[in-house]
Amino acid sequence: MRQFSLTNHKGDRLTILEHGASMQSWSVAAGPERRELILGYANPQQYQQDNSYLGAVVGPYANRIGNGNLQLAGQHYQLQLNEGKHHLHGGANGLHRQQWQLQQQTSSSVQLRCILPDGHSGYPGPTAFSVLYQLNTDSSLDITLSATATQLTLAGPTLHPYFNLSGKAAPINQHQLWLNAEQYTPTDSDKIPTGQLLAVAETALDFRHCKTIGTVQLDHNLAVTADMQQNAAILTSPDQQLRLLVRSDYPGLQVYTGDYLAAPFSPRQGICLEPQFYPDAPNHSQFPLRLTSPEQPFSSHIRYQLERG
């Protein structure tokens, strides 16, 4: 399995795998030590059996689509049901399970490409996906996700790294979190949105003021400003040495505290901050969504900005 290493002048190192275009490692200098920012398997072959989407590009459409029901221009498509009676993260063989092809590489960037055929996991296609990782000199990581299709289809991939800024195999409970979100999308017992937007005020989701995560269990979509000029989230290490700022042009952010992580990791060892469209957006006309067509290719931008304390 091929690995692609990116570096910058600050000594930051990012390792990307061709399998799932996955982020395997992101290590940085933090004072006198080096610190690993994300969870990863030491052996790249372990990613082929991973069920936690560890560091991968997920899609074609991130998160859940209720009953796998997709209606496009009056036509019904049945997406693969890989989470009970629902569709999750593009299906069992979504982008996270694909072998991506190298398009171009420099010392600080890599671009990979993957083509899914028509009907893959139920999606109309074929659709060509591209991801560009760019590690910048200011310790920011820019990710551009793109898709082109030969017919009207649904695209909305994202990144699924689990962050732990302490560099230790410890729960993320002592991390501090700030979320730029006034509302969230409540869900039913299957985690499918009801179609409502409710205020985070007086709920466990209210992180509008930076606070310690503690034992709260999060696996929720927050409504954020789809604006690359504003932070959607800020995660701070327990020792205050590192801060991770998340920006995206996606209107939603899934926050997941990793409560179901399994061996060799432990529950809550990492937190996911996943920019995305809202879950099940194709089935809720009031939710923001951009469809992909030959005339309107898909593109989204995510930035993880690292700051040292």
Side-chain angles (χ1 to χ4, degrees), residues 5-6 67 88 97 103 113 118 135 150 173 219 237 263 267:
S5 295
L6 312 183
N67 301 302
L88 174 65
R97 290 288 192 205
Q103 293 297 107
R113 190 168 186 255
D118 182 33
L135 185 63
T150 57
N173 297 15
D219 192 7
S237 64

Side-chain angles (χ1 to χ4, degrees), residues 95-154:
L95 295 174
H96 68 291
R97 290 288 192 205
Q98 303 302 309
Q99 295 298 109
W100 292 61
Q101 305 301 314
L102 176 65
Q103 293 297 107
Q104 57 180 344
Q105 183 181 16
T106 70
S107 61
S108 60
S109 71
V110 65
Q111 185 173 23
L112 302 172
R113 190 168 186 255
C114 172
I115 300 177
L116 297 182
D118 182 33
H120 186 91
S121 297
Y123 289 87
T127 306
F129 290 88
S130 171
V131 59
L132 173 64
Y133 291 97
Q134 173 68 54
L135 185 63
N136 301 309
T137 56
D138 63 354
S139 290
S140 64
L141 174 60
D142 279 309
I143 303 115
T144 304
L145 295 158
S146 307
T148 57
T150 57
Q151 61 176 311
L152 184 68
T153 192
L154 177 67

Side-chain angles (χ1 to χ4, degrees), residues 35-280:
R35 192 175 295 189
E36 179 62 58
L37 305 184
I38 62 174
L39 304 187
Y41 296 107
N43 182 354
Q45 300 302 322
Q46 291 177 274
Y47 284 84
Q48 295 181 349
Q49 285 77 45
D50 172 66
N51 292 315
S52 299
Y53 306 95
L54 212 73
V57 175
V58 295
Y61 189 85
N63 216 306
R64 294 169 177 86
I65 296 179
N67 301 302
N69 178 51
L70 178 61
Q71 302 279 345
L72 293 176
Q75 186 168 348
H76 176 259
Y77 298 90
Q78 180 59 55
L79 304 183
Q80 182 192 53
L81 306 182
N82 63 313
E83 191 186 52
K85 61 182 182 180
H86 305 296
H87 178 80
L88 174 65
H89 287 331
N93 292 301
L95 295 174
H96 68 291
R97 290 288 192 205
Q98 303 302 309
Q99 295 298 109
W100 292 61
Q101 305 301 314
L102 176 65
Q103 293 297 107
Q104 57 180 344
Q105 183 181 16
T106 70
S107 61
S108 60
S109 71
V110 65
Q111 185 173 23
L112 302 172
R113 190 168 186 255
C114 172
I115 300 177
L116 297 182
D118 182 33
H120 186 91
S121 297
Y123 289 87
T127 306
F129 290 88
S130 171
V131 59
L132 173 64
Y133 291 97
Q134 173 68 54
L135 185 63
N136 301 309
T137 56
D138 63 354
S139 290
S140 64
L141 174 60
D142 279 309
I143 303 115
T144 304
L145 295 158
S146 307
T148 57
T150 57
Q151 61 176 311
L152 184 68
T153 192
L154 177 67
T158 193
L159 272 292
H160 207 289
Y162 290 79
F163 292 101
N164 188 320
L165 306 185
S166 72
K168 302 180 177 67
I172 44 82
N173 297 15
Q174 296 306 310
H175 283 63
Q176 291 186 323
L177 180 65
W178 174 85
L179 298 173
N180 189 12
E182 301 277 344
Q183 295 178 304
Y184 73 103
T185 51
T187 61
D188 62 19
S189 59
D190 287 346
K191 299 184 180 177
I192 303 299
T194 63
Q196 299 171 286
L197 272 174
L198 296 182
V200 300
E202 300 181 8
T203 75
L205 300 174
D206 191 354
F207 282 83
R208 292 174 296 171
H209 299 285
C210 184
K211 63 181 181 180
T212 302
I213 295 172
T215 58
V216 62
Q217 295 186 358
L218 301 175
D219 192 7
H220 298 79
N221 173 65
L222 286 299
V224 294
T225 302
D227 182 353
M228 289 301 298
Q229 305 309 311
Q230 296 186 57
N231 295 318
I234 301 175
L235 182 69
T236 305
S237 64
D239 62 4
Q240 308 287 306
Q241 290 300 302
L242 295 176
R243 292 202 315 162
L244 184 76
L245 286 58
V246 183
R247 296 182 179 185
S248 172
D249 52 13
Y250 269 131
L253 180 76
Q254 187 81 10
V255 182
Y256 170 48
T257 45
D259 297 274
Y260 298 102
L261 276 168
F265 308 102
S266 55
R268 301 181 68 82
Q269 192 176 332
I271 182 172
C272 296
L273 301 166
E274 308 162 55
Q276 61 179 9
F277 291 125
Y278 299 175
D280 204 31

